[in-house]
Amino acid sequence: MSEDLQRVVDTLARQLGRAVAVDDVHFRLLAYSAHAGPIDDMRARVVLTRQAPPEAVAWLRRFRLARAEGPVRLPGTEDLLPRVAIPIRFQDFQFGYLWLIDADEPVDDAGLALAGVAADEAAEVLFRERALGELHDARVGEFLRDLMSDDHVARTLAADGLVESGLYAARGGVVAIVVAPLPVAGQDVDEGDRLALGAALRATAATMPFRESMFLVRPTHGLLVVTQRATERAPRLADELCSSVSQRLGRTDRWRAVVAGVGRPAARLADAATSYRQALDAIRVADVIPVFRPVARHDALGIYALLVAQPREQLRSMGVAQAITALLDADPALLLTAETFLDRAGDSRAVAERLGVHRATIYHRLHRIEELTGFDLSDGERRLVLHLGIKAARLLGDI
């Protein structure tokens, strides 16, 4: 948080001789003074974790602070000291709360008046920073849209503009992370969902080093672009982003899943669109093959990375559909056996162990597979065609 907000907090703390803190509307800590006077376990935990614990948030919401017109005194409990909460508002917009511990010597009217002035000053600071933040996000968003375009010249100009404007630090490779809710039939990503996506992306970007992240909310997904160094320092970045989006979206009955796709590192900022396309491809795979959820990394997709980059019409023209249909019609176990046999590079023992049947059963099934499909499984090229065909059918959702 800015030095201006910290200055407001420190000044009030000196005036009152007690600890002061400022939270946002979700009770996440924005600024706090040095401890003066008594504090309790919740204040200590908030300072350490930057947010109130869930049980404390539930307790605070009982007081309906968002509706308060002025200071609210919260009574103490067995575990919590009494508090004073002062709403921080500017032009009828709620930004959060200014907090004072109200133990030992309760805050008098003069102290409350000083705190009210400080709350107004904090509101002006937060309003100004929000406006500047929105302007910053808009500028980054314009550059980022061009950076992800199909126009090579536009991508180059956008990369140069981001660096020259001081909006992004070109420090080695760059990685695109896409996060998307997968709607159930009849549902779509609406404006409220996009706001939730934006909040999760903004919160995640705030944990990254200065000028090493950018984000953009698109109609069906969110995009986070970070330096490769940042992903190496935070290997669970995509997992945490995915979890944050899931929590903010809520309404799990609307989504089959929330997934993140991670592209491979691009060597230059101007090539970030390649990583972006790979991240989108990873989500396409995770959409139809749940084993890759919740985070699908392009470099871990195996053969699917090759297949998903092909046009759907080309995947359908691989000439294996009739063979797959013949296996499914005869016995679905034959298709599973064929796929497992090909996945295990023809290791019959491994296939038997994986499927939990005797090796003799595997040999019998392989013979039936060859009869029904016309594919000679001793022919490496024919095995490859059948293998790719089965994987393509899975990717297309045909099996």
Side-chain angles (χ1 to χ4, degrees):
M1 189 48 62
S2 74
E3 293 181 2
D4 291 339
L5 184 61
Q6 188 64 50
R7 189 178 303 113
V8 171
V9 167
D10 290 339
T11 299
L12 181 62
R14 286 194 301 271
Q15 291 172 330
L16 300 182
R18 64 180 71 219
V20 178
V22 170
D23 290 350
D24 68 9
V25 293
H26 301 293
F27 306 107
R28 292 175 300 210
L29 186 64
L30 299 180
Y32 64 96
S33 69
H35 296 316
I39 65 169
D40 54 24
D41 181 61
M42 185 176 84
R43 172 59 63 86
R45 289 176 65 183
V46 168
V47 170
L48 288 173
T49 64
R50 310 299 295 185
Q51 61 184 1
E55 63 273 16
V57 171
W59 179 73
L60 292 170
R61 293 196 186 283
R62 289 166 43 196
F63 296 93
R64 301 190 177 187
L65 298 176
R67 301 182 181 181
E69 297 297 330
V72 178
R73 292 186 187 270
L74 280 63
T77 69
E78 183 177 342
D79 300 316
L80 301 175
L81 293 172
R83 282 166 163 71
V84 175
I86 302 174
I88 298 176
R89 289 197 185 94
F90 188 84
Q91 297 183 354
D92 295 325
F93 193 90
Q94 181 86 25
F95 284 97
Y97 308 95
L98 185 148
W99 291 95
L100 306 172
I101 297 294
D102 202 27
D104 292 347
E105 295 184 18
V107 184
D108 59 19
D109 290 344
L112 290 177
L114 288 172
V117 172
D120 290 341
E121 292 175 355
E124 291 182 15
V125 170
L126 292 171
F127 178 82
R128 183 170 63 250
E129 293 196 348
R130 170 163 293 192
L132 292 173
E134 290 176 350
L135 178 61
H136 171 275
D137 291 348
R139 291 186 66 200
V140 171
E142 291 176 5
F143 280 125
L144 204 45
R145 288 183 187 90
D146 287 343
L147 191 66
M148 299 300 136
S149 74
D150 294 328
D151 186 327
H152 173 73
V153 174
R155 293 198 303 268
T156 301
L157 291 174
D160 291 343
L162 284 164
V163 175
E164 291 171 3
S165 301
L167 299 173
Y168 188 81
R171 297 171 178 162
V174 59
V175 176
I177 301 173
V178 173
V179 61
L182 304 179
V184 300
Q187 296 289 337
D188 291 305
V189 179
D190 60 26
E191 186 59 28
D193 303 324
R194 284 186 282 274
L195 289 173
L197 277 170
L201 288 164
R202 182 174 289 103
T204 300
T207 67
M208 297 289 98
F210 181 57
R211 296 191 302 142
E212 288 197 28
S213 66
M214 303 177 286
F215 68 88
L216 177 65
V217 179
R218 312 215 82 162
T220 61
H221 60 269
L223 166 64
L224 179 68
V225 175
V226 296
T227 62
Q228 184 178 357
R229 293 198 320 175
T231 63
E232 291 168 352
R233 287 192 298 263
R236 289 189 51 79
L237 177 62
D239 303 78
E240 292 167 0
L241 173 59
C242 196
S243 176
S244 177
V245 169
S246 297
Q247 292 174 4
R248 293 172 188 271
L249 284 172
R251 292 289 308 277
T252 54
D253 57 313
R254 295 182 58 214
W255 317 111
R256 290 179 287 117
V258 175
V259 298
V262 183
R264 299 171 188 260
R268 303 182 309 143
L269 180 58
D271 297 326
T274 300
S275 184
Y276 174 49
R277 287 192 293 270
Q278 292 170 346
L280 290 174
D281 283 347
I283 285 182
R284 283 181 55 199
V285 174
D287 188 358
V288 294
I289 305 176
V291 70
F292 289 106
R293 301 175 190 169
V295 176
R297 302 179 186 279
H298 190 268
D299 59 7
L301 296 181
I303 190 60
Y304 289 112
L306 172 65
L307 294 175
V308 75
Q310 308 305 313
R312 295 179 70 87
E313 296 75 15
Q314 186 167 330
L315 293 180
R316 292 192 184 281
S317 65
M318 296 186 68
V320 184
Q322 186 174 352
I324 292 174
T325 299
L327 295 176
L328 287 173
D329 289 345
D331 183 354
L334 292 176
L335 178 62
L336 178 60
T337 300
E339 185 175 16
T340 307
F341 177 77
L342 296 167
D343 286 345
R344 298 298 189 277
D347 186 339
S348 300
R349 176 179 296 177
V351 176
E353 292 176 356
R354 177 70 180 81
L355 299 182
V357 297
H358 195 276
R359 288 176 67 182
T361 302
I362 298 300
Y363 294 137
H364 172 72
R365 289 182 182 178
L366 293 175
H367 179 66
R368 286 281 291 147
I369 290 167
E370 289 183 323
E371 287 183 335
L372 290 167
T373 64
F375 282 81
D376 180 359
L377 296 181
S378 65
D379 185 326
E381 186 171 326
R382 298 293 284 166
R383 281 204 311 269
L384 178 60
V385 171
L386 181 59
H387 200 187
L388 291 175
I390 293 173
K391 296 303 184 185
R394 289 211 179 276
L395 190 58
L396 293 167
D398 294 341
I399 58 175

